[in-house]
């Protein structure tokens, strides 16, 4: 298993995490809590950005930690833990997105009093809701979460070329949807 | 040519978000913008849309982080108990007993249906010898009566 996503951890933190993971394997709950505390915020944020739902994101984050801990024995290299955790999280998010219906676009439902900024945020959320799960997740991971192509490929378990082509398609689709929505609301 | 130029223009707009374009590519964009002034407005919309998208990031942290950790650990405890044989042994024993009882029931039902039928040959309808006449047949007139 690759260790691409561990690069954001400094060396000392990585050593610390390796030690915690050893303790997690022995069922040490304090070590579990430390691992959760380290990755919690980023995992929830990633899930929230993909799903656009805070409660669902917390639920997915919990499931991701549980699954990662349950399958910790399968992990050959503990340095790849964070990549493994993000991969689980993204997959769970994709499963949830696939089980949702594509939301119809209704741009006239926004109240004028909410202001243009809020209105635009809502429009963008709706546009994301109209995109297929694969494209949406790729776009969010790159544009909002600022992950590299390699990290996205690892998380989504697809080749680098697929990430490039998905991102290109996603950007194209988003651009068209955004321009159409802007013309519609104008 | 125009379609090709349009495609290249859009592709470069996308790539501009990931890397610095070369001078040649920038020159192409400038030329395209000069030839197609309507694209300039579209480009500013494009930039605005992507800026909005990037600014859409939710900085979510659970309302109570300790509660989040507590929930995960509690679920993990339940899960680890469920993974042990001790948790499932009563269910397995119950299932075994039920399976044995079912098997025994099926055996009983099967046996009753294959039991040999009760011997009722005595009650069967069968062809009997013709009954003997109560009275012996009378001889024809003129025939001598046979001695007994």
């Amino acid at each position: 298993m690759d260790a691409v996503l561990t690069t954001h951890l400094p060396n000392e933190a990585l050593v610390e995490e390796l030690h915690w993971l050893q303790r997690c394997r022995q069922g040490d709950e304090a070590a579990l809590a430390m691992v959760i505390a380290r990755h919690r915020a980023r995992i929830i944020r990633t899930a929230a950005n993909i799903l656009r739902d805070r409660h669902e994101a917390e639920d997915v984050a919990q499931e991701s930690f549980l699954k990662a801990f349950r399958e910790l024995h399968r992990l050959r290299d503990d340095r790849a833990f964070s990549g493994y955790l993000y991969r689980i999280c993204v997959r769970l998010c994709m499963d949830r997105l696939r089980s949702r219906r594509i939301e119809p676009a209704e741009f006239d439902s926004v109240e004028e009093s909410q202001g243009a900024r809020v209105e635009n945020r809502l429009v963008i959320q709706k546009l994301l809701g109209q995109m297929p799960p694969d494209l949406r997740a790729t776009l969010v991971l790159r544009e909002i979460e600022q992950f590299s192509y390699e990290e996205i490929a690892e998380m989504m378990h697809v080749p680098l070329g697929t990430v490039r082509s998905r991102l290109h398609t996603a950007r194209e689709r988003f651009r068209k949807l955004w321009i159409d929505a802007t013309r519609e609301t104008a | 040519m125009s379609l090709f130029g349009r495609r290249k223009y859009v592709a470069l707009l996308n790539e501009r978000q990931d890397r610095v374009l070369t001078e040649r590519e920038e020159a192409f964009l400038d030329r395209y913008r000069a030839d197609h002034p309507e694209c300039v407005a579209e480009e500013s919309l494009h930039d605005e849309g992507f800026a909005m998208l990037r600014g859409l990031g939710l900085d979510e942290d659970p309302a109570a982080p300790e509660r989040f950790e507590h929930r995960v650990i509690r679920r993990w405890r339940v899960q680890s108990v469920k993974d042990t044989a001790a948790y499932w042994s009563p269910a397995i024993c119950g299932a075994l007993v039920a399976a044995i009882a079912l098997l025994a029931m099926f055996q009983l039902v099967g046996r009753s249906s294959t039991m040999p039928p009760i011997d009722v040959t005595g009650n069967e309808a069968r062809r009997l010898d013709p009954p003997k006449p109560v009275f012996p047949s009378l001889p024809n007139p003129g025939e001598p009566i046979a001695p007994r």
Side-chain angles (χ1 to χ4, degrees), chain B residues 59-140:
Chain B
D59 206 4
E60 293 295 335
D61 206 14
E66 299 81 20
R67 205 188 297 164
F68 179 87
E69 282 161 28
H70 180 68
R71 268 192 214 144
V72 177
I73 290 175
R74 200 176 51 197
R75 283 177 70 181
W76 181 77
R77 263 186 227 145
V78 172
Q79 202 177 61
S80 6
V81 170
K82 276 188 182 172
D83 288 344
T84 58
Y87 177 82
W88 291 106
S89 55
I92 291 169
C93 288
L96 258 173
V97 169
I100 290 168
L102 263 176
L103 201 71
M105 200 178 77
F106 285 136
Q107 284 285 329
L108 282 175
V109 171
R111 189 173 293 169
S112 68
S113 67
T114 54
M115 269 169 88
I118 300 164
D119 188 15
V120 288
T121 46
N123 298 332
E124 273 178 3
R126 57 181 177 173
R127 184 169 291 186
L128 300 172
D129 297 334
K132 286 181 182 174
V134 178
F135 301 104
S137 54
L138 292 173
N140 290 329

Side-chain angles (χ1 to χ4, degrees), chain A residues 29-45:
Chain A
E29 289 183 7
L32 287 176
M34 284 185 227
V35 174
I36 295 168
R38 172 162 289 172
H39 295 284
R40 182 193 59 228
R42 188 89 199 265
I43 283 283
I44 293 177
R45 198 185 68 194

Side-chain angles (χ1 to χ4, degrees), chain A residues 29 32 40 44-45 49 52 54 62 66 70 120-121 124 142-144 149 171-172 175 178-179, chain B residues 10 14 17-18 42 45-46 49 52-58 60 62 65 69 75-77 79:
Chain A
E29 289 183 7
L32 287 176
R40 182 193 59 228
I44 293 177
R45 198 185 68 194
N49 281 327
R52 313 304 308 173
R54 180 186 302 194
Q62 284 186 22
L66 283 173
R70 191 173 57 216
N120 283 338
R121 281 180 75 96
I124 287 185
R142 178 67 194 150
E143 297 293 342
I144 302 178
Y149 281 44
R171 280 174 173 162
E172 262 300 284
R175 193 180 64 85
W178 169 248
I179 289 172
Chain B
V10 172
N14 283 337
Q17 297 173 53
D18 289 328
E42 204 177 291
L45 264 182
H46 168 104
M52 291 265 186
L53 179 68
R54 284 183 209 112
L56 198 65
L58 299 171
E60 293 295 335
E69 282 161 28
R75 283 177 70 181
W76 181 77
R77 263 186 227 145
Q79 202 177 61

Side-chain angles (χ1 to χ4, degrees), chain A residues 111-140:
Chain A
E111 288 172 30
E112 281 178 18
S113 60
Q114 286 178 292
R117 195 181 151 81
V118 177
E119 188 176 345
N120 283 338
R121 281 180 75 96
L122 289 174
V123 168
I124 287 185
Q125 288 201 19
K126 285 191 177 181
L127 297 184
L128 285 175
Q130 282 185 282
M131 295 176 80
D134 291 342
L135 299 184
R136 176 177 170 170
T138 312
L139 191 68
V140 166

Side-chain angles (χ1 to χ4, degrees), chain A residues 2-176:
Chain A
D2 302 324
V4 177
L5 280 167
T6 54
T7 47
H8 71 272
L9 283 178
N11 254 348
E12 285 170 22
L14 188 61
V15 171
E16 202 175 38
E17 185 165 295
L18 295 179
H19 178 62
W20 290 342
L21 289 172
Q22 279 299 323
R23 284 167 55 196
C24 286
R25 283 204 176 83
Q26 293 154 9
D28 185 342
E29 289 183 7
L32 287 176
M34 284 185 227
V35 174
I36 295 168
R38 172 162 289 172
H39 295 284
R40 182 193 59 228
R42 188 89 199 265
I43 283 283
I44 293 177
R45 198 185 68 194
T46 304
N49 281 327
I50 296 176
L51 297 168
R52 313 304 308 173
D53 183 320
R54 180 186 302 194
H55 300 292
E56 211 175 352
E58 271 200 45
D59 200 29
V60 163
Q62 284 186 22
E63 276 181 48
S64 308
F65 279 113
L66 283 173
K67 202 165 182 202
F69 291 143
R70 191 173 57 216
E71 293 176 5
L72 202 54
H73 61 277
R74 286 192 192 173
L75 199 62
R76 270 180 266 166
D77 183 0
D78 282 356
R79 283 174 296 174
F81 177 76
S82 68
Y84 186 53
L85 183 63
Y86 280 94
R87 189 189 291 183
I88 292 171
C89 177
V90 170
R91 278 193 196 167
L92 289 174
C93 288
M94 301 276 285
D95 288 346
R96 298 241 177 169
L97 285 181
R98 284 193 190 108
S99 66
R100 280 187 196 169
R101 286 168 56 198
I102 287 184
E103 299 158 18
E106 289 169 8
F107 301 113
D108 53 350
S109 61
V110 184
E111 288 172 30
E112 281 178 18
S113 60
Q114 286 178 292
R117 195 181 151 81
V118 177
E119 188 176 345
N120 283 338
R121 281 180 75 96
L122 289 174
V123 168
I124 287 185
Q125 288 201 19
K126 285 191 177 181
L127 297 184
L128 285 175
Q130 282 185 282
M131 295 176 80
D134 291 342
L135 299 184
R136 176 177 170 170
T138 312
L139 191 68
V140 166
L141 290 173
R142 178 67 194 150
E143 297 293 342
I144 302 178
E145 290 295 318
Q146 303 279 305
F147 281 114
S148 69
Y149 281 44
E150 288 80 8
E151 287 171 328
I152 298 171
E154 192 200 340
M155 274 189 250
M156 300 187 83
H157 205 43
V158 290
L160 203 59
T162 309
V163 175
R164 282 186 204 285
S165 93
R166 275 187 192 170
L167 194 60
H168 178 76
T169 314
R171 280 174 173 162
E172 262 300 284
R173 196 166 296 188
F174 177 78
R175 193 180 64 85
K176 279 181 189 158

